Amino acid sequence: MPRLLRRLAVLTALLLGSGLAAASDHWVELAGERFQVEIAATEAQRARGLMYRERLEPGHGMLFIHDWFGPQAYWMKNTRIPLDILYFDEQRRLVSQHRDVPPCRTRDCPVYPSGAPARYVLELNAGEAARLGVAEGAELRFGPGIPAAAE
């Protein structure tokens, strides 16, 4: 029995390290395509974001829900994968985007501002925004269980 417990502990550690254990049944839809998303609705979750991840599975992303509607700015400190950063207003319309943002492992990482007030930020694998052809005004649809704003 101890051997089985040890194997389960190793498997759990691997899942947690890869981010798979944090996956959920939440989804968003953009340009007719559905993405499974992790929700970052607390300050701690937003601060950590996708840091230290080695990869983001295809068809997955992270949805950041901010407490306030206003200018937002993101950076890629300790982020190991290139991303598209998409900013949405309170009506979930795309107001700005930064495509193919490279990882940053230094102390002086550039900041990527929203350029317009935003409430929601969607991070996807780099290249997804171009593949989908999303432009400002594109609508982000939420699946069930995603709060309209941070509580």
Side-chain angles (χ1 to χ4, degrees):
M1 190 66 148
R3 187 175 185 184
L4 177 62
L5 290 175
R6 221 173 328 188
R7 284 185 180 172
L8 286 173
V10 169
L11 180 59
T12 301
L14 288 172
L15 286 172
L16 288 172
S18 69
L20 294 175
S24 70
D25 291 330
H26 293 119
W27 58 266
V28 297
E29 193 173 279
L30 180 63
E33 190 158 328
R34 201 171 273 191
F35 293 90
Q36 295 296 313
V37 291
E38 294 176 53
I39 306 296
T42 68
E43 189 161 337
Q45 291 167 332
R46 289 188 299 265
R48 178 147 177 113
L50 292 170
M51 286 181 173
Y52 307 109
R53 303 276 181 98
E54 294 299 327
R55 71 183 305 237
L56 181 61
E57 293 295 322
H60 287 72
M62 182 169 276
L63 178 66
F64 297 80
I65 304 173
H66 288 275
D67 298 330
W68 53 279
F69 175 63
Q72 308 293 342
Y74 278 56
W75 67 343
M76 297 288 285
K77 185 173 183 0
N78 298 320
T79 304
R80 298 176 175 161
I81 49 178
L83 298 170
D84 289 341
I85 304 172
L86 310 173
Y87 295 93
F88 296 85
D89 65 15
E90 290 186 309
Q91 287 74 44
R92 296 180 231 150
R93 297 281 181 190
L94 184 63
V95 295
S96 69
Q97 57 185 305
H98 293 279
R99 295 181 178 184
D100 301 313
V101 177
C104 182
R105 295 181 187 186
T106 68
R107 297 180 108 192
D108 300 321
C109 299
V111 175
Y112 300 92
S114 62
R119 166 90 58 183
Y120 308 100
V121 180
L122 179 63
E123 290 184 342
L124 300 172
N125 280 308
E128 289 295 314
R131 183 180 66 77
L132 295 171
V134 295
E136 276 68 16
E139 181 183 0
L140 182 67
R141 291 189 45 233
F142 287 0
I146 297 179
E151 298 174 7

